[in-house]
Amino acid sequence: MRVLVVDDEPALLESVRRGLVAGGWAVETAPDGEVGLDMAADGDFDVVVLDIMMPRRSGYEVVREMRRREIWTPVLMLTAKDGEYDEADAFDLGADDYLVKPFSFVVLEARLRALVRRGAPERPTSFRAGDLEVDPAAREVRRGRERIPVTAREYAVLEYLIRNRNQVVSKPQILRAVWDAAYDGDDNIVEVYVGYLRRKIDAPFGARAIETVRGQGYRLVDSEVARAGG
């Protein structure tokens, strides 16, 4: 199995390299994010081990750019930072796993083997439907180049719709995904928020991304397709 290890600490880089080679891995290394990105793009790796704090390009920038280029190689982030927001950022930007320094080498190898077993399915860091884009890492909504301000609840409803784009989802499904278990109100609240979204992401642009499927629920479709249909 081929692994790329990217870290700007020479001692750690060599330690990880030696340990993985002893475990039967084919290992290549990179001393910074820029070189690491080039190697990840050009090489056929089964998994990438990526430090976060590096010169030239941070690990965050590298994994974001990999996913933007549709390089789906699994990525495990190594970092000295153990804050929950740092971990969340890593996953939102497209990482597959996260390990805090100092770490157990046994755990590192086990996690790498697990990532290789999963393979490299497509997992974009943002979701598109025509020129409508939802970016979970930035929690932003755009149509073309225009950023559209939405509330937290509106964003959650829209993210659920676009994750299930071109599929019909019911009000109860949206309610379960977006509202917590303590909510005991009417499921027509979903209709209210769909209305809010239509006024923000559709009406100003002459688009009809959110369709109502009578008796079933809602479906988000590519905006250009919806406009072409009238």
Side-chain angles (χ1 to χ4, degrees), residues 22-135:
W25 296 76
V27 184
E28 294 191 36
T29 62
D32 61 57
E34 191 72 33
V35 174
L37 177 60
D38 289 342
M39 293 178 68
D42 294 337
D44 183 20
F45 295 100
D46 295 295
V47 65
V48 174
V49 178
L50 186 62
D51 188 31
I52 289 181
M53 303 302 293
M54 292 186 293
R56 301 182 72 189
R57 279 184 186 260
S58 72
Y60 290 141
E61 293 173 305
V62 173
V63 72
R64 179 193 282 272
E65 182 63 16
M66 286 175 63
R67 301 317 186 215
R68 189 191 70 80
R69 296 187 191 181
E70 300 185 352
I71 301 167
W72 306 119
T73 309
V75 171
L76 183 147
M77 306 291 277
L78 286 182
T79 180
K81 304 171 71 176
D82 61 355
E84 61 185 13
Y85 291 104
D86 299 308
E87 185 173 352
D89 286 343
F91 287 125
D92 281 342
L93 291 168
D96 300 274
D97 204 350
Y98 186 98
L99 198 56
V100 178
K101 302 174 185 177
F103 53 86
S104 160
F105 195 83
V106 172
V107 172
L108 171 63
E109 271 205 282
R111 291 192 176 187
L112 292 180
R113 288 194 298 267
L115 290 177
V116 171
R117 284 196 299 269
R118 293 179 205 165
E122 294 187 14
R123 47 204 183 283
T125 55
S126 64
F127 299 91
R128 293 179 180 273
D131 61 358
L132 179 67
E133 179 182 8
V134 174
D135 183 343

Side-chain angles (χ1 to χ4, degrees), residues 3-23:
V3 56
L4 171 64
V5 183
V6 188
D7 200 301
D8 66 324
E9 297 181 44
L12 178 64
L13 192 63
E14 179 61 12
S15 174
V16 172
R17 187 194 70 79
R18 286 183 179 180
L20 290 174
V21 168

Side-chain angles (χ1 to χ4, degrees), residues 77-211:
M77 306 291 277
L78 286 182
T79 180
K81 304 171 71 176
D82 61 355
E84 61 185 13
Y85 291 104
D86 299 308
E87 185 173 352
D89 286 343
F91 287 125
D92 281 342
L93 291 168
D96 300 274
D97 204 350
Y98 186 98
L99 198 56
V100 178
K101 302 174 185 177
F103 53 86
S104 160
F105 195 83
V106 172
V107 172
L108 171 63
E109 271 205 282
R111 291 192 176 187
L112 292 180
R113 288 194 298 267
L115 290 177
V116 171
R117 284 196 299 269
R118 293 179 205 165
E122 294 187 14
R123 47 204 183 283
T125 55
S126 64
F127 299 91
R128 293 179 180 273
D131 61 358
L132 179 67
E133 179 182 8
V134 174
D135 183 343
R139 296 192 72 80
E140 288 185 352
V141 178
R142 300 183 189 87
R143 191 174 279 287
R145 295 186 177 181
E146 184 171 339
R147 183 175 178 274
I148 303 171
V150 294
T151 67
R153 187 77 73 184
E154 290 166 352
Y155 174 86
V157 173
L158 180 58
E159 183 179 333
Y160 183 76
L161 288 171
I162 203 166
R163 282 181 182 272
N164 294 279
R165 60 194 176 281
N166 298 320
Q167 300 178 45
V168 177
V169 291
S170 67
K171 288 181 183 179
Q173 285 177 303
I174 298 171
L175 202 63
R176 285 194 300 271
V178 175
W179 277 262
D180 61 39
Y183 178 78
D184 62 357
D186 196 313
D187 66 3
N188 281 333
I189 189 68
V190 174
E191 185 176 337
V192 172
Y193 275 87
V194 167
Y196 293 157
L197 285 170
R198 281 173 167 156
R199 288 196 286 273
K200 291 184 175 183
I201 69 169
D202 280 350
F205 303 92
R208 293 181 183 176
I210 303 176
E211 297 180 339

